Amino acid sequence: MTIHQKMDAPDRRNRLDDMAQGVLSTPLDRPEGPLKVSGRAPYAHEVQPAGMLHGYFVRAPKIGRLARMDDAIARGIAGVETVISGAKLIRNPCQGTANAAPVQPDGDIYYIGQPIALVVADTFETARAAAMTVTFDIAEADRQPVNPTDYDTPEDQQSAQGDLDTAMAEAAFSVDREYTTPAHNSAAMEPHAAIAEWDGDKLLLRGSLQMLKYNRNEIADSLGIDPSNVRLLSPYVGGGFGSKLGIAPDAVGAALAAKETGRPVGVVLSRQQVFEATMRRSETKQRVRLAADADGVLSGIGHDAWVSNLPDESFSEPVTQATPFLYGGVHRQIGHHIARVSRTCAGSVRAPGEAVGITIFEIAMDELARAAGIDPVELRRRNIPDQDPTSEIPFSSHKLAEALDDGARTFGWDDTLPEPGGRREGEWLIGQGMASAVRVNSLMESKARVTLQPDGTALVETDMTDIGTGTYAILTQLAAEMLGLHAADVKTVLGDTDLPPASGSGGSWGAGSSGASVFLACQGVRQRIAEALDTTEEDLTLKDGMAIAGNRSVPLAQVLDGPVESEGHIEPGDTGDAVRQATWGSYFCEVAVNAVTGETRVRRMHGSFAAGRILNPKTARSQCLGGMTFGIGMALTEELMHDPRDGHIVNRDLAEYHLPVNLDVPQITVNLLEERDPWANPMQVKGIGELGICGAAAAVVNGIYQATGVRVRNLPATLDKVMAGLD
């Protein structure tokens, strides 16, 4: 049985509210947690077949076209099996976004650090040593500049309504400022890794990947084979943050080498290779224009963004994605501009678009609040629109006002608009800052299979991945709730392309999409049980392994004469265009800035978030904590630096790319607001994984201003920039 639902209308059935088991929306521990903390969860490079060889990349020290390569010394080293090169390995794989084909010409070297050969040996150390002996000549070639200069302005990515220039000229208060954010690296804990082995024409590849049904097509395209001959395994992923949406050189290199040698080959990228040879978030330059009347009500909004990527890549950082609907204003202008540069591929890093776009926009809103002398929370409340002001469609739900009020109340926000620099504790200047949070919400096609056994156990199967977000937990809870079982009696199997294809982990759509397919599969199982009891699915109650209908209570073992299997299939439909779907939140923080050194410390931070039905408050809260920590890094330390002479990455490891560590992060509090959104999916769930970062850095930067009077517009707010303002 297959239960298929296309979201062409809101689903107001509230079926999850009718269930009786009581396991959903509880803080269930991760079922796979014991495996992870004990080191028994097998990650991509940890299931090593007998006889496995190891690959190590030779990478380009300059940009151009590979003219000659000499690997004779490497091939002569004891233990070296082969050296792989050629067009399939050199061309840039699909890293920017999932399911995109490589676009750079074969044999071209577009950025320093691009892989050009793979040395394969019996040990990792031998392969690495041999790779150092490979020599080559790289011919000069016409290339894009390494620094953004000229920008394309795609017509379909520009929009305007009204007359923004007139609104700015007539405004009682206005802001017209330029800001910058640097490039970022995902810096996931687990590096990119793959182990490939062939059985005839069939490829089995264990990888660290986020979206398997797309990754399968990408690896097949890179190798020139049929996707049906590819099986991917990715049951545990040690973080991705977008860097593993598409495949990377490790997967292509391992597959090519395994085919040539006839033996399994593993390739794991070093941390430096992850930084230099996978992908980055584009740097941005942003111009924000705000026009408001004497009451602080916006009449005009302008937001232009300048970003970069490799030539011909279709993806570009969607900086202004949420700007059109966050606040009201009749006169509006949005601009998007793309430079083509010879740097690593720019792709999706956690919350592409809003992470950098809303951060900058919320700093500009703080500037407007100061100019108008209005409390920043109140300014935002006054500008919440009744409908999407750009497309004039209603919101599916809107919780920004509630998030602002809840956050201010929980944090203890001072709404008197204190003068900057007015509070001091010894060397430390103390300030508070806040910002709104918003992230678009999406539904992706997804499938899952659920099998209920007569002994009261259930199996959930889908190729969905868990990249640390809690997928194992929430899908287990969904099946347990729908089928009236204890969570311990449900086994969830993920990360295998032999299973029904799910949405994959990305864009904060994983829970809503893969969860909806499990929900529908369970609905099919429930229908079969209801038929056996001569009742309807709506009148059936399942609890503690018992089927209850009318005045009968029957053990499932007596109802089922064998396993009951059902598949769920969810598809997006008209609800994606009929309404504006988004998630909402607010951030509040207190910072201390040292008046002598310019050092900023975040003392406390709070976030209030609304993201539809919360399936598991423990894993949801964890996602918000991670996003806000991400925001602290964006505000204060994270900056991927490129040498302006040749474009190579300067700070290519975790020693120099400064992520926030324990002492940088205070005790963060999170409130999850009650919400249901029937337009989103039949569970009324929305994504929360990325919401926690969308504007978090702005609260910190705004706090620095309130503490010191120093307005940092070029992120991150490192101590040299703060000190320059203090001087």
Side-chain angles (χ1 to χ4, degrees):
M1 173 184 289
T2 297
I3 303 297
H4 174 242
Q5 182 171 343
K6 188 175 182 181
M7 285 301 295
D8 285 329
D11 191 328
R12 305 184 190 278
R13 294 176 297 161
N14 296 314
R15 289 298 289 138
L16 286 175
D17 291 340
D18 297 332
M19 300 300 117
Q21 189 63 28
V23 69
L24 196 63
S25 299
T26 64
L28 179 76
D29 291 341
R30 298 169 186 260
E32 82 286 8
L35 294 177
K36 289 180 174 177
V37 300
S38 62
R40 292 177 292 142
Y43 287 85
H45 204 252
E46 295 180 336
V47 183
Q48 299 188 1
M52 189 186 87
L53 299 170
H54 299 263
Y56 192 88
F57 279 115
V58 177
R59 297 183 301 127
K62 61 182 292 187
I63 298 165
R65 174 170 281 274
L66 183 63
R68 180 195 65 86
M69 186 173 70
D70 185 350
D71 57 18
I73 295 176
R75 289 180 181 273
I77 295 175
V80 171
E81 185 77 13
T82 188
V83 178
I84 304 291
S85 60
K88 288 182 180 178
L89 185 135
I90 292 177
R91 71 177 185 164
N92 193 51
C94 329
Q95 302 169 54
T97 52
N99 208 30
V103 295
Q104 279 72 50
D106 295 347
D108 281 12
I109 298 167
Y110 272 81
Y111 55 89
I112 291 177
Q114 183 172 330
I116 58 175
L118 182 73
V119 177
V120 183
D122 56 359
T123 69
F124 173 82
E125 291 77 12
T126 300
R128 180 176 60 185
M132 305 303 174
T133 70
V134 177
T135 62
F136 38 79
D137 293 329
I138 298 175
E140 297 292 333
D142 291 335
R143 286 291 171 268
Q144 304 295 328
V146 296
N147 300 304
T149 52
D150 296 330
Y151 289 84
D152 299 328
T153 302
E155 186 175 344
D156 63 346
Q157 296 188 51
Q158 321 302 312
S159 65
Q161 59 190 64
D163 186 345
L164 181 59
D165 291 337
T166 298
M168 291 291 291
E170 296 177 352
F173 304 103
S174 65
V175 170
D176 186 350
R177 295 288 189 182
E178 284 194 356
Y179 309 81
T180 64
T181 62
H184 294 138
N185 189 274
S186 293
M189 186 178 295
E190 180 196 19
H192 294 63
I195 295 175
E197 51 185 318
W198 292 81
D199 182 3
D201 293 333
K202 303 289 186 181
L203 170 65
L204 173 65
L205 187 137
R206 301 177 186 273
S208 188
L209 301 163
Q210 294 182 222
M211 305 184 71
L212 297 192
K213 73 178 178 184
Y214 302 112
N215 304 143
R216 182 184 206 173
N217 294 333
E218 293 159 0
I219 190 69
D221 175 74
S222 294
L223 301 175
I225 63 176
D226 192 286
S228 64
N229 287 333
V230 177
R231 182 185 181 190
L232 301 181
L233 295 176
S234 203
Y236 300 101
V237 181
F241 307 115
S243 71
K244 299 168 184 174
L245 287 179
I247 62 172
D250 57 293
V252 178
L256 290 172
K259 187 68 172 177
E260 179 171 318
T261 63
R263 292 170 61 182
V265 175
V267 177
V268 58
L269 301 188
S270 68
R271 185 61 63 183
Q272 290 82 3
Q273 291 172 345
V274 169
F275 271 80
E276 292 183 324
T278 59
M279 44 78 60
R280 62 185 172 93
R281 190 200 299 276
S282 171
E283 75 293 330
T284 77
K285 180 176 73 172
Q286 301 179 47
R287 181 190 181 192
V288 179
R289 287 173 286 174
L290 301 173
D293 64 17
D295 294 324
V297 176
L298 287 165
S299 58
I301 291 175
H303 195 175
D304 278 87
W306 290 262
V307 300
S308 71
N309 207 343
L310 283 166
D312 300 320
E313 290 285 351
S314 60
F315 175 85
S316 60
E317 183 76 23
V319 176
T320 60
Q321 186 164 248
T323 306
F325 65 86
L326 178 55
Y327 299 119
V330 175
H331 308 284
R332 316 174 72 84
Q333 186 170 311
I334 304 294
H336 188 77
H337 318 277
I338 310 166
R340 299 299 174 179
V341 297
S342 292
R343 294 184 179 181
T344 49
C345 184
S348 298
V349 177
R350 192 174 194 173
E354 289 92 331
V356 286
I358 293 303
T359 288
I360 292 304
F361 198 86
E362 286 296 294
I363 294 173
M365 283 292 286
D366 197 70
E367 296 208 44
L368 180 63
R370 289 288 169 178
I374 300 173
D375 168 56
V377 176
E378 177 58 26
L379 177 72
R380 288 162 172 80
R381 290 187 100 270
R382 292 180 187 181
N383 286 288
I384 296 174
D386 295 328
Q387 62 178 3
D388 184 323
T390 302
S391 57
E392 298 184 347
I393 57 175
F395 291 100
S396 62
S397 67
H398 204 302
K399 290 288 186 176
L400 180 55
E402 290 90 333
L404 290 169
D405 293 345
D406 182 81
R409 181 172 55 253
T410 302
F411 179 80
W413 175 253
D414 184 354
D415 62 2
T416 62
L417 203 66
E419 282 299 312
R423 180 183 168 193
R424 184 165 184 150
E425 298 176 5
E427 292 183 355
W428 296 93
L429 301 166
I430 313 301
Q432 295 183 354
M434 61 78 53
S436 296
V438 63
R439 174 71 172 153
V440 295
N441 186 70
S442 302
L443 178 69
M444 300 289 282
E445 184 177 12
S446 195
K447 294 180 180 180
R449 181 169 57 242
V450 173
T451 305
L452 178 62
Q453 301 290 346
D455 64 358
T457 62
L459 176 65
V460 177
E461 297 174 294
T462 171
D463 81 354
M464 181 62 181
T465 53
D466 188 328
I467 61 174
T469 47
T471 308
Y472 279 104
I474 62 170
L475 298 189
T476 296
Q477 287 174 277
L478 273 165
E481 189 67 44
M482 291 287 288
L483 301 180
L485 304 176
H486 299 290
D489 292 325
V490 177
K491 180 181 180 181
T492 298
V493 179
L494 305 177
D496 183 344
T497 51
D498 277 358
L499 303 178
S503 62
S505 298
S508 289
W509 56 59
S513 303
S514 67
S517 62
V518 171
F519 169 89
L520 293 173
C522 290
Q523 188 178 5
V525 173
R526 289 174 57 86
Q527 287 182 9
R528 292 278 296 276
I529 297 171
E531 291 169 2
L533 293 175
D534 195 25
T535 188
T536 64
E537 188 270 324
E538 292 80 3
D539 291 332
L540 174 69
T541 297
L542 298 179
K543 181 175 172 57
D544 296 331
M546 304 292 289
I548 305 166
N551 59 358
R552 292 176 295 165
S553 181
V554 185
L556 283 172
Q558 295 181 20
V559 178
L560 306 179
D561 56 6
V564 176
E565 179 184 297
S566 176
E567 186 168 291
H569 181 192
I570 189 73
E571 280 191 281
D574 293 342
T575 59
D577 298 320
V579 293
R580 166 61 67 184
Q581 294 185 35
T583 53
W584 311 94
S586 65
Y587 311 95
F588 293 83
C589 78
E590 179 178 284
V591 303
V593 182
N594 192 289
V596 178
T597 67
E599 174 192 1
T600 299
R601 295 182 182 176
V602 180
R603 285 186 160 188
R604 58 191 181 100
M605 193 169 188
H606 173 77
S608 291
F609 303 102
R613 183 193 301 272
I614 300 300
L615 298 174
N616 182 323
K618 178 177 287 187
T619 57
R621 177 178 178 273
S622 177
Q623 288 297 290
C624 296
L625 294 175
M628 294 164 74
T629 301
F630 222 122
I632 292 172
M634 282 180 57
L636 300 179
T637 60
E638 289 194 45
E639 181 176 13
L640 192 65
M641 302 177 184
H642 293 81
D643 189 309
R645 296 167 297 179
D646 59 11
H648 83 269
I649 297 174
V650 177
N651 56 335
R652 60 195 186 116
D653 55 39
L654 297 181
E656 299 298 331
Y657 184 80
H658 294 150
L659 297 166
V661 296
N662 229 18
L663 290 177
D664 300 317
V665 182
Q667 290 297 314
I668 299 174
T669 58
V670 171
N671 288 353
L672 301 172
L673 306 184
E674 183 71 19
E675 186 190 18
R676 299 284 189 272
D677 192 339
W679 294 86
N681 49 64
M683 304 180 300
Q684 305 176 342
V685 167
K686 293 194 284 193
I688 202 168
E690 295 170 310
L691 178 62
I693 191 178
C694 299
V700 178
V701 174
N702 294 340
I704 292 173
Y705 175 80
Q706 209 274 310
T708 64
V710 177
R711 181 65 73 182
V712 179
R713 299 188 180 95
N714 302 311
L715 271 58
T718 48
L719 55 85
D720 56 316
K721 298 171 187 174
V722 176
M723 279 299 295
L726 288 173
D727 289 343

